[in-house]
Short mmCIF file of all heavy atoms in Angstrom, two decimals:
data_model
loop_
_atom_site.label_atom_id
_atom_site.label_comp_id
_atom_site.label_asym_id
_atom_site.label_seq_id
_atom_site.Cartn_x
_atom_site.Cartn_y
_atom_site.Cartn_z
N PHE A 28 -13.34 8.31 14.70
CA PHE A 28 -13.18 8.98 15.99
C PHE A 28 -14.05 10.24 16.05
O PHE A 28 -14.71 10.50 17.06
CB PHE A 28 -11.73 9.34 16.25
CG PHE A 28 -11.53 10.17 17.49
CD1 PHE A 28 -11.77 9.63 18.75
CD2 PHE A 28 -11.15 11.50 17.41
CE1 PHE A 28 -11.61 10.39 19.90
CE2 PHE A 28 -10.99 12.28 18.54
CZ PHE A 28 -11.22 11.73 19.79
N ASN A 29 -14.06 11.02 14.97
CA ASN A 29 -14.85 12.24 14.97
C ASN A 29 -16.34 11.95 15.13
O ASN A 29 -17.06 12.66 15.84
CB ASN A 29 -14.61 13.03 13.68
CG ASN A 29 -13.22 13.66 13.65
OD1 ASN A 29 -12.63 13.91 14.70
ND2 ASN A 29 -12.69 13.90 12.46
N VAL A 30 -16.80 10.88 14.47
CA VAL A 30 -18.22 10.51 14.58
C VAL A 30 -18.56 10.09 16.01
O VAL A 30 -19.52 10.59 16.62
CB VAL A 30 -18.57 9.37 13.59
CG1 VAL A 30 -19.96 8.81 13.89
CG2 VAL A 30 -18.51 9.88 12.16
N TYR A 31 -17.77 9.17 16.56
CA TYR A 31 -18.09 8.66 17.89
C TYR A 31 -17.81 9.70 18.97
O TYR A 31 -18.47 9.73 20.01
CB TYR A 31 -17.29 7.38 18.17
CG TYR A 31 -17.53 6.30 17.13
CD1 TYR A 31 -16.49 5.52 16.65
CD2 TYR A 31 -18.81 6.08 16.62
CE1 TYR A 31 -16.71 4.54 15.69
CE2 TYR A 31 -19.03 5.10 15.66
CZ TYR A 31 -17.97 4.34 15.19
OH TYR A 31 -18.20 3.38 14.24
N ASN A 32 -16.84 10.57 18.71
CA ASN A 32 -16.54 11.64 19.66
C ASN A 32 -17.70 12.62 19.77
O ASN A 32 -17.97 13.16 20.83
CB ASN A 32 -15.26 12.37 19.22
CG ASN A 32 -14.72 13.29 20.30
OD1 ASN A 32 -14.75 12.94 21.48
ND2 ASN A 32 -14.25 14.45 19.92
N SER A 33 -18.42 12.81 18.66
CA SER A 33 -19.58 13.71 18.70
C SER A 33 -20.67 13.13 19.61
O SER A 33 -21.36 13.88 20.31
CB SER A 33 -20.13 13.94 17.29
OG SER A 33 -20.65 12.73 16.75
N LEU A 34 -20.79 11.80 19.63
CA LEU A 34 -21.71 11.15 20.57
C LEU A 34 -21.22 11.38 21.99
O LEU A 34 -21.98 11.70 22.90
CB LEU A 34 -21.77 9.64 20.32
CG LEU A 34 -22.44 9.10 19.07
CD1 LEU A 34 -22.25 7.59 19.02
CD2 LEU A 34 -23.92 9.44 19.08
N PHE A 35 -19.93 11.20 22.14
CA PHE A 35 -19.32 11.24 23.47
C PHE A 35 -19.45 12.63 24.11
O PHE A 35 -19.71 12.77 25.29
CB PHE A 35 -17.85 10.85 23.33
CG PHE A 35 -17.15 10.69 24.65
CD1 PHE A 35 -17.45 9.61 25.47
CD2 PHE A 35 -16.23 11.60 25.08
CE1 PHE A 35 -16.81 9.46 26.68
CE2 PHE A 35 -15.59 11.45 26.29
CZ PHE A 35 -15.89 10.38 27.09
N LEU A 36 -19.27 13.67 23.29
CA LEU A 36 -19.29 15.03 23.82
C LEU A 36 -20.68 15.45 24.27
O LEU A 36 -20.84 16.48 24.93
CB LEU A 36 -18.75 16.01 22.78
CG LEU A 36 -17.25 15.88 22.48
CD1 LEU A 36 -16.84 16.82 21.38
CD2 LEU A 36 -16.42 16.13 23.73
N ASN A 37 -21.70 14.67 23.91
CA ASN A 37 -23.07 14.98 24.33
C ASN A 37 -23.46 14.29 25.64
O ASN A 37 -24.57 14.47 26.12
CB ASN A 37 -24.07 14.56 23.23
CG ASN A 37 -24.13 15.59 22.14
OD1 ASN A 37 -24.32 16.77 22.40
ND2 ASN A 37 -23.94 15.17 20.90
N LEU A 38 -22.54 13.48 26.18
CA LEU A 38 -22.86 12.79 27.42
C LEU A 38 -23.07 13.79 28.55
O LEU A 38 -22.27 14.72 28.71
CB LEU A 38 -21.74 11.82 27.82
CG LEU A 38 -21.55 10.60 26.93
CD1 LEU A 38 -20.39 9.76 27.47
CD2 LEU A 38 -22.80 9.75 26.87
N PRO A 39 -24.12 13.63 29.34
CA PRO A 39 -24.38 14.58 30.42
C PRO A 39 -23.52 14.30 31.65
O PRO A 39 -23.17 13.17 31.93
CB PRO A 39 -25.86 14.32 30.75
CG PRO A 39 -26.07 12.88 30.42
CD PRO A 39 -25.15 12.58 29.24
N TYR A 40 -23.17 15.36 32.35
CA TYR A 40 -22.50 15.23 33.64
C TYR A 40 -23.29 16.02 34.68
O TYR A 40 -23.92 17.02 34.36
CB TYR A 40 -21.06 15.78 33.58
CG TYR A 40 -20.03 14.71 33.38
CD1 TYR A 40 -19.48 14.47 32.13
CD2 TYR A 40 -19.61 13.92 34.44
CE1 TYR A 40 -18.53 13.49 31.95
CE2 TYR A 40 -18.67 12.94 34.26
CZ TYR A 40 -18.13 12.73 33.03
OH TYR A 40 -17.19 11.74 32.86
N ARG A 41 -23.19 15.55 35.89
CA ARG A 41 -23.91 16.25 36.95
C ARG A 41 -23.35 17.66 37.13
O ARG A 41 -22.17 17.91 36.94
CB ARG A 41 -23.75 15.49 38.27
CG ARG A 41 -24.51 14.18 38.33
CD ARG A 41 -24.14 13.42 39.59
NE ARG A 41 -22.70 13.15 39.64
CZ ARG A 41 -22.02 12.96 40.75
NH1 ARG A 41 -22.62 13.03 41.91
NH2 ARG A 41 -20.74 12.69 40.71
N ASN A 42 -24.22 18.56 37.51
CA ASN A 42 -23.87 19.93 37.94
C ASN A 42 -23.48 20.87 36.82
O ASN A 42 -23.68 22.08 36.91
CB ASN A 42 -22.74 19.93 38.98
CG ASN A 42 -23.09 19.08 40.19
OD1 ASN A 42 -24.26 18.96 40.54
ND2 ASN A 42 -22.08 18.47 40.81
N ILE A 43 -22.88 20.38 35.76
CA ILE A 43 -22.44 21.29 34.69
C ILE A 43 -23.06 20.85 33.38
O ILE A 43 -22.80 19.74 32.89
CB ILE A 43 -20.91 21.32 34.58
CG1 ILE A 43 -20.30 21.88 35.87
CG2 ILE A 43 -20.47 22.15 33.39
CD1 ILE A 43 -18.80 21.96 35.88
N GLU A 44 -23.86 21.69 32.79
CA GLU A 44 -24.53 21.35 31.54
C GLU A 44 -23.60 21.61 30.36
O GLU A 44 -22.86 22.60 30.33
CB GLU A 44 -25.81 22.21 31.39
CG GLU A 44 -26.89 21.90 32.42
CD GLU A 44 -27.44 20.49 32.27
OE1 GLU A 44 -27.56 20.02 31.13
OE2 GLU A 44 -27.73 19.86 33.30
#
Side-chain angles (χ1 to χ4, degrees):
F28 173 68
N29 289 335
V30 169
Y31 304 139
N32 192 39
S33 65
L34 290 175
F35 187 71
L36 291 176
N37 280 308
L38 291 180
Y40 262 101
R41 289 172 301 155
N42 304 330
I43 297 180
E44 293 295 324

